[in-house]
Amino acid sequence: MREKPFTILVADDEENIRLLYSEELEEEGYKVIAAADGEEALTKVVELKPDLVVMDIKMPGISGVDALIKIKEIDRNLPVILCSAYSDYKQDFSTWASDAYVVKAANLDELKKAIAEVLAKRYPDS
Amino acid sequence: MKSQQKNEILSKVIEISSADSQISDRLTQIARFLCLKGVAPTLAFYLLHPRGRRLVLRIAADSGGALRIPAPACTYRLPAPEIPLCRPLGTLLPNPLEPENTPSHDQLLQRHPHGWCLPLADETRAYGIMALLNGQPFSVPSDSIRFLQVICRQITLALRSSMIQERDRLLVHQLKFLHQIGARLNADSDIESIFSQLPDSAPAFFANSLSRLHIFATDLHPATIMDFGGHDPEQQAVADRVSRSQSDRVRFLSHPLVIDRRNGNRSDNNAYREFFSHFLLHIILPLPSRNQNLGTLEFFLINTPESRELLPLDGEELELLEILAVHLAATIERTRTRDQLATASRTSLLRNRQLTLLHQIKNALLAANTVERIIRLTLGALVSREGFACPAALYIECGDNPIVGEVFYALSAAAPAAASPTENDELDHGEELARQLLTASEKLPEEARKKLIGLTLPPLETTPPRFQQALADGKPVIIPARLAFSIDSRLENLLEGQKIVIIPLAGQEKASGLIMGVADHISEDDLNYITLFTDAAGLALDNIRLYQRLQDSLASLNNAQMRLAQSEKLVALGEMATSIAHEIKNPLVSIGGFARRLHRKIPDQSREKTYSRIITKEIERLEGIVNNVLSFSRPEVEDYTPHDLNLLIRETTDLFTRELKKRQIELQLDLLPDLPPVECDGNQIKQVLINLLNNSIQALSDRKDGERGFIRIRSSSFSELESRRQAALIEIEDNGGGIQESVIHDIFNPFFTTKHEGTGLGLTICYRIILNHQGDIRLHNQIGRGVTVIITLPLKRQ
């Protein structure tokens, strides 16, 4: 068991979504930091070095997909989970770089499950 | 003799000779008077026969008045025309009354061999001799001779006027005869009766003759021979033989032919050998008409003393016969013309009726809207009595491989006689006619048809040439029945006749079938009419084909238009839906997310818990809708690779295994083993299949009748007719009761649903995906039974 909780960066342009994700994920025992767009997300990845990024695809400025590519350039081992309103964006090969793909839904069970799986895969020792 | 006495005698002779009595009476009176006055002891008149150069003792008298004219009357043939009738006066018994010429039967001259002859002649002709006769020689004083010459001149005058009168009478008689014959001929009485009952005015010639009328055969009329007169079979046989012997000779005869003893015996024709023992003459007259000879009129003058008197015939008598022949020829010609006219008018009446019928049938044919109706109308017209009165006719449909398809059969007995049309109800009559024609024909009863099944038209080149000709030209022909039956002997049972008319039923295109009808009563002329009317049938067939093609193109045009409108609608809707759904999605996630958080924090068994559950559930429903909209409208990123459709089907159906088992639905897979790979987006096709299977399961679950539901999925491949491209076919069939007719047009529309749950986007998505694959999706809906969805996918995208 890890002493320090995993830090998850949630990037979404919707404030309410950020709040929802933050509360839900903190309840799950994660430390949550939030970013309102792709730009901010990239900065916080560099500064705060989160263990995992949950990112909306459709954001003003740098889109989720573009941000994903940039994050992988910074730290190709940092897991990124993409969220989208669309159910099957995964057919776009540019999303293949993400570690998981989750359709946005009010029920966050799927997201939580994906986070757990990705983390377990990335940090098998913890 | 004193001059006073002479004057007395002369004036008496003038008186008697100009009296109004018969010339023979007058001559007798003169003869008696002259004997009484002592001019001669015996006095005789030898008169020239009107028909020729012979002298006949006509009148004799003596002073006693007891002299009888010896019978038979004596005739003197005159030796030659150049010898004068009388020698100069004073010569004893001038020629021909020479003693050596005296025939033994001239008893008068035998008893009174001495005498004097005085000619009865004027400037134009001689009429006879006045003979003064005596038993002993006697002399006549010269002044008496001059006186006798004056008397002779007076008698000559009487003879002459009598002759002229007689000729006039004959002429009038002949004219009367001709007139009567002409009137009878004109009065429509037949030729036979004219000869069997001669008018009273008929010249004696007719009463003494056999006659024969021979009318030559023509293309239209047979030869006619009519014999008249005579009751002696032997005579008739002889006449017949002679007539036949001349029959070749007279065909081109243009003038009368008179065969008498001289030229008949001269001819090397043996037929005349016996002839002249029975007859005196054979006269053959042509019947001239418009530069041709219609036949002959022949007379056989029977050999009797009376008829010998009629010889020789003079020119006028022959002319009379010629005129009679011309009359007869004209009558025959007129009769023939009248018959021809009557025939022509009958034919034209018939044709007129046929044309009227043709017109009506044509109208009925052109109004016909099915091929069957045309065929049955055509058959009906063939067998109907108003039409062509074929006893039986049948139609054989020629399939692609020349195997008999539908067979229609019509019997004339079944055709009711159509009422004759009146002007008022011509329209009604047309409809009535069509109705009646239709009743005449019927589909061949199943049993009879079975007998014909397998009846094949042999390859064209092995059929009789005229049969081939008919099919090649598309024109009707009449062929002997045995030729038609050589195609298939079973036809014999249906068409009993000697001749068969073959009518190919074709328009611009190749014959769709053949009509065969019994043609025993159909002439080549009728065939032209049949052609006219089968042409109309062909035209009607063309019209129907054209109409059907028009309907088809109209339907496909409508279809294409509907699809275009559908896809335009979808694109517009998609654009709008994307923006709306995306905007809704995020707030919905927030609402839903926090609602769930609230829900978790609310104590169980409280009202608030119930409310929050409802909020959560409803938001889930909303999310479902939004997700569907987004997946439908999202610009696709497609991944076309070759896929095994069968595998996609199996993978999809595997997902439903539990569902199907739970609902007791039987799944039948009928997949083509070697289905070629299809270039497609596997996931999208799977989604289509999932949506369709969902629909079917839904439909089957709605069934209340307890019948076991099934879903059958078939795969196959084919080559598309028009584009020739290869395509795969997936059919998904269920027995879920089908889709209501009223909603069938809406089912591809977005948000349309008949279900209690669902977004109404399932079929719309399917439609879009298949369209993107350049394929096609169709529904075959059977209300009350089920739906089959048919998906076509090209093997290769273009």
Side-chain angles (χ1 to χ4, degrees):
Chain A
M1 194 64 194
R2 256 175 93 102
E3 293 168 16
K4 208 176 123 194
F6 286 112
T7 308
I8 295 174
L9 172 67
V10 173
D12 199 307
D13 57 331
E14 289 267 340
E15 198 191 340
N16 292 333
I17 300 275
R18 290 199 298 274
L19 179 64
L20 177 68
Y21 280 17
S22 302
E23 289 201 356
E24 285 279 319
L25 293 180
E26 276 166 4
E27 268 185 21
E28 294 292 315
Y30 303 114
K31 184 184 174 200
V32 179
I33 48 178
D37 53 37
E39 200 84 37
E40 194 186 342
L42 284 174
T43 313
K44 287 193 168 166
V45 163
V46 174
E47 288 174 359
L48 303 172
K49 297 203 187 309
D51 296 305
L52 184 142
V53 180
V54 174
M55 191 157 55
D56 187 13
I57 287 177
K58 194 166 180 274
M59 284 187 296
I62 303 171
S63 81
V65 175
D66 294 343
L68 165 70
I69 293 162
K70 292 221 154 75
I71 289 168
K72 290 292 178 183
E73 281 170 5
I74 295 163
D75 179 359
R76 63 188 305 260
N77 292 323
L78 178 58
V80 178
I81 295 175
L82 283 178
C83 291
S84 167
Y86 300 113
S87 60
D88 40 13
Y89 233 114
K90 49 192 159 192
Q91 282 163 356
D92 186 340
F93 65 89
S94 55
T95 64
W96 293 354
S98 73
D99 296 77
Y101 183 95
V102 173
V103 178
K104 263 190 185 175
N107 187 342
L108 295 184
D109 292 351
E110 203 189 333
L111 178 65
K112 289 171 187 168
K113 197 174 145 210
I115 289 171
E117 278 172 10
V118 169
L119 284 174
K121 203 170 155 194
R122 173 68 184 80
Y123 309 102
D125 303 334
S126 54
Chain B
M1 203 179 284
K2 287 175 187 161
S3 63
Q4 190 193 346
Q5 197 185 357
K6 282 179 187 168
N7 282 341
E8 197 185 314
I9 291 169
L10 187 60
S11 66
K12 186 69 181 174
V13 167
I14 289 170
E15 187 191 324
I16 295 171
S17 65
S18 45
D20 191 22
S21 60
Q22 290 286 317
I23 186 73
S24 53
D25 292 347
R26 279 181 273 165
L27 289 179
T28 308
Q29 280 189 33
I30 289 170
R32 280 192 185 142
F33 176 71
L34 289 178
C35 287
L36 270 174
K37 289 293 173 188
V39 174
T42 304
L43 195 144
F45 289 107
Y46 287 86
L47 295 182
L48 264 178
H49 192 277
R51 289 181 186 278
R53 303 188 61 82
R54 54 192 161 153
L55 279 173
V56 180
L57 174 60
R58 292 290 187 196
I59 309 291
D62 57 14
S63 51
L67 190 69
R68 293 282 182 271
I69 295 169
C74 336
T75 301
Y76 293 81
R77 191 172 303 137
L78 298 185
E82 62 274 13
I83 297 170
L85 191 59
C86 276
R87 288 182 189 167
L89 197 67
T91 314
L92 188 73
L93 284 180
N95 185 36
L97 304 185
E98 300 283 2
E100 62 267 31
N101 280 345
T102 307
S104 56
H105 58 261
D106 191 348
Q107 291 164 18
L108 183 73
L109 219 56
Q110 297 279 352
R111 282 199 296 261
H112 307 91
H114 303 283
W116 294 86
C117 283
L118 288 132
L120 299 169
D122 59 18
E123 293 75 12
T124 54
R125 60 165 292 175
Y127 299 93
I129 294 168
M130 185 174 82
L132 313 175
L133 301 169
N134 197 10
Q136 285 84 42
F138 71 103
S139 65
V140 179
S142 60
D143 64 329
S144 287
I145 286 175
R146 255 189 309 276
F147 171 67
L148 284 172
Q149 278 178 324
V150 173
I151 286 179
C152 278
R153 174 56 63 104
Q154 185 56 45
I155 293 168
T156 301
L157 272 174
L159 279 170
R160 181 185 176 158
S161 73
S162 145
M163 194 192 76
I164 289 168
Q165 237 177 22
E166 180 63 14
R167 284 178 64 102
D168 284 352
R169 194 184 62 80
L170 261 174
L171 214 59
V172 167
H173 206 67
Q174 283 182 351
L175 281 174
K176 194 175 162 197
F177 170 69
L178 279 180
H179 174 74
Q180 282 175 336
I181 286 281
R184 279 205 199 176
L185 287 173
N186 283 334
D188 238 355
S189 62
D190 59 320
I191 294 166
E192 199 163 349
S193 74
I194 289 164
F195 280 91
S196 50
Q197 291 178 331
L198 279 169
D200 299 336
S201 58
F205 179 84
F206 289 95
N208 293 290
S209 298
L210 302 187
S211 53
R212 156 179 286 212
L213 182 65
H214 181 183
I215 302 168
F216 300 149
T218 65
D219 293 344
L220 297 170
H221 305 278
T224 321
I225 295 178
M226 290 180 235
D227 286 304
F228 308 101
H231 303 288
D232 183 347
E234 200 188 334
Q235 277 183 359
Q236 279 169 346
V238 170
D240 183 61
R241 194 158 59 243
V242 166
S243 173
R244 284 176 195 282
S245 77
Q246 297 286 344
S247 62
D248 287 339
R249 194 176 157 197
V250 300
R251 189 160 283 271
F252 300 103
L253 196 68
S254 56
H255 300 290
L257 192 64
V258 181
I259 298 158
D260 59 16
R261 194 180 291 273
R262 275 173 304 161
N263 57 23
N265 280 343
R266 241 195 350 255
S267 78
D268 43 317
N269 199 330
N270 287 335
Y272 282 102
R273 194 174 290 155
E274 291 176 60
F275 182 76
F276 291 106
S277 59
H278 296 279
F279 298 101
L280 294 170
L281 271 187
H282 181 199
I283 303 171
I284 307 171
L285 301 138
L287 302 175
S289 166
R290 289 187 294 193
N291 296 332
Q292 59 161 341
N293 189 1
L294 294 181
T296 55
L297 176 62
E298 294 173 69
F299 291 99
F300 309 88
L301 188 62
I302 301 164
N303 190 357
T304 62
E306 194 186 347
S307 55
R308 277 197 292 277
E309 285 293 301
L310 299 170
L311 290 183
L313 295 183
D314 64 21
E316 278 171 8
E317 280 167 322
L318 215 51
E319 209 174 305
L320 173 78
L321 295 181
E322 272 187 88
I323 291 170
L324 181 65
V326 169
H327 260 305
L328 269 176
T331 305
I332 292 164
E333 185 68 31
R334 200 171 54 229
T335 313
R336 284 185 176 175
T337 309
R338 196 186 51 206
D339 287 352
Q340 277 168 2
L341 268 176
T343 312
S345 122
R346 261 201 309 279
T347 312
S348 109
L349 193 71
L350 188 72
R351 289 291 173 235
N352 199 10
R353 283 178 62 187
Q354 277 181 341
L355 276 178
T356 310
L357 184 80
L358 183 72
H359 177 71
Q360 286 169 346
I361 293 174
K362 240 178 182 169
N363 284 346
L365 280 172
L366 291 179
N369 47 11
T370 62
V371 175
E372 175 180 332
R373 203 175 154 92
I374 288 172
I375 291 161
R376 289 180 59 184
L377 280 171
T378 310
L379 284 177
L382 270 178
V383 301
S384 100
R385 263 157 285 172
E386 298 276 286
F388 299 99
C390 271
L394 64 80
Y395 169 81
I396 301 177
E397 188 181 82
C398 302
D400 284 340
N401 13 320
I403 291 177
V404 169
E406 205 65 74
V407 177
F408 293 94
Y409 185 55
L411 278 172
S412 65
S420 25
T422 62
E423 278 180 29
N424 297 341
D425 62 359
E426 195 167 337
L427 189 75
D428 293 343
H429 179 71
E431 285 168 9
E432 174 70 5
L433 178 82
R435 195 184 59 73
Q436 287 176 343
L437 292 182
L438 285 177
T439 60
S441 65
E442 56 182 7
K443 269 189 191 176
L444 205 58
E446 195 58 34
E447 285 159 47
R449 210 166 86 80
K450 269 183 195 150
K451 286 182 195 157
L452 280 174
I453 281 179
L455 179 133
T456 53
L457 297 178
L460 201 58
E461 54 274 15
T462 67
T463 55
R466 295 194 66 187
F467 194 86
Q468 290 179 32
Q469 191 67 35
L471 285 177
D473 295 352
K475 296 273 176 228
V477 289
I478 294 176
I479 60 173
R482 61 181 168 76
L483 279 184
F485 299 153
S486 73
I487 293 161
D488 195 301
S489 60
R490 280 171 290 186
L491 292 171
E492 210 165 340
N493 303 329
L494 295 167
L495 303 170
E496 289 176 22
Q498 299 300 313
K499 288 191 287 177
I500 300 292
V501 59
I502 306 280
I503 307 167
L505 212 56
Q508 300 284 325
E509 297 174 18
K510 92 181 185 48
S512 64
L514 281 183
I515 286 179
M516 292 188 180
V518 178
D520 290 0
H521 306 298
I522 290 181
S523 65
E524 290 287 333
D525 203 22
D526 285 330
L527 210 54
N528 292 333
Y529 281 83
I530 292 181
T531 309
L532 275 181
F533 124 90
T534 50
D535 281 354
L539 198 66
L541 277 180
D542 276 351
N543 278 354
I544 283 186
R545 289 188 186 127
L546 215 60
Y547 181 70
Q548 276 170 353
R549 235 174 268 161
L550 207 65
Q551 291 281 86
D552 288 353
S553 359
L554 199 66
S556 77
L557 204 65
N558 274 340
N559 208 336
Q561 201 183 15
M562 265 172 58
R563 278 157 186 268
L564 195 67
Q566 182 87 343
S567 57
E568 276 173 0
K569 196 153 68 176
L570 289 181
V571 167
L573 198 78
E575 283 167 5
M576 196 180 71
T578 313
S579 55
I580 293 175
H582 198 262
E583 292 309 313
I584 289 172
K585 177 84 181 193
N586 280 329
L588 211 54
V589 170
S590 303
I591 296 166
F594 289 112
R596 293 177 82 87
R597 288 184 64 73
L598 279 177
H599 181 68
R600 283 205 291 274
K601 291 192 165 48
I602 292 168
D604 289 348
Q605 263 106 43
S606 67
R607 280 185 166 231
E608 288 75 5
K609 190 79 173 179
T610 315
Y611 301 156
S612 67
R613 188 185 302 118
I614 291 172
I615 293 171
T616 316
K617 283 280 165 202
E618 287 302 300
I619 286 169
E620 264 177 26
R621 197 151 76 89
L622 271 177
E623 273 190 313
I625 294 169
V626 171
N627 279 343
N628 265 329
V629 170
L630 285 174
S631 84
F632 154 70
S633 55
R634 182 187 55 84
E636 290 289 344
V637 183
E638 286 139 340
D639 174 24
Y640 291 101
T641 45
H643 279 90
D644 178 358
L645 270 191
N646 289 346
L647 191 66
L648 291 180
I649 292 167
R650 286 209 182 85
E651 281 175 3
T652 310
T653 52
D654 282 351
L655 297 175
F656 287 88
T657 315
R658 278 187 59 199
E659 182 84 6
L660 292 169
K661 199 172 173 185
K662 191 177 118 194
R663 297 183 189 264
Q664 295 193 317
I665 294 169
E666 186 192 351
L667 178 73
Q668 303 169 357
L669 293 184
D670 179 8
L671 307 178
L672 184 74
D674 298 320
L675 192 68
V678 177
E679 207 172 81
C680 66
D681 184 322
N683 282 323
Q684 289 194 5
I685 298 301
K686 269 191 191 173
Q687 195 186 344
V688 170
L689 294 172
I690 288 168
N691 285 353
L692 294 176
L693 279 167
N694 268 329
N695 281 349
S696 290
I697 290 168
Q698 191 71 50
L700 289 165
S701 309
D702 288 347
R703 286 182 65 133
K704 304 276 191 297
D705 54 12
E707 195 184 322
R708 194 177 163 88
F710 69 81
I711 297 173
R712 189 180 296 142
I713 305 180
R714 267 187 233 100
S715 67
S716 54
S717 72
F718 71 101
S719 170
E720 279 183 320
L721 267 183
E722 280 169 25
S723 60
R724 300 252 162 231
R725 60 178 189 169
Q726 295 285 313
L729 198 73
I730 307 172
E731 292 162 79
I732 301 164
E733 181 188 350
D734 67 54
N735 60 343
I739 303 165
Q740 281 176 4
E741 196 70 41
S742 57
V743 305
I744 191 94
H745 298 293
D746 287 327
I747 58 162
F748 285 121
N749 280 343
F751 306 113
F752 180 83
T753 182
T754 57
K755 298 174 196 164
H756 305 301
E757 303 165 8
T759 60
L761 282 168
L763 274 175
T764 317
I765 289 165
C766 292
Y767 180 72
R768 223 195 87 143
I769 289 172
I770 297 301
L771 223 57
N772 280 344
H773 279 79
Q774 299 173 343
D776 189 26
I777 182 164
R778 285 164 195 274
L779 288 188
H780 178 56
N781 182 39
Q782 289 172 294
I783 298 164
R785 292 175 63 183
V787 175
T788 307
V789 182
I790 302 152
I791 296 168
T792 314
L793 285 171
L795 298 187
K796 292 240 181 312
R797 282 166 54 82
Q798 286 164 346

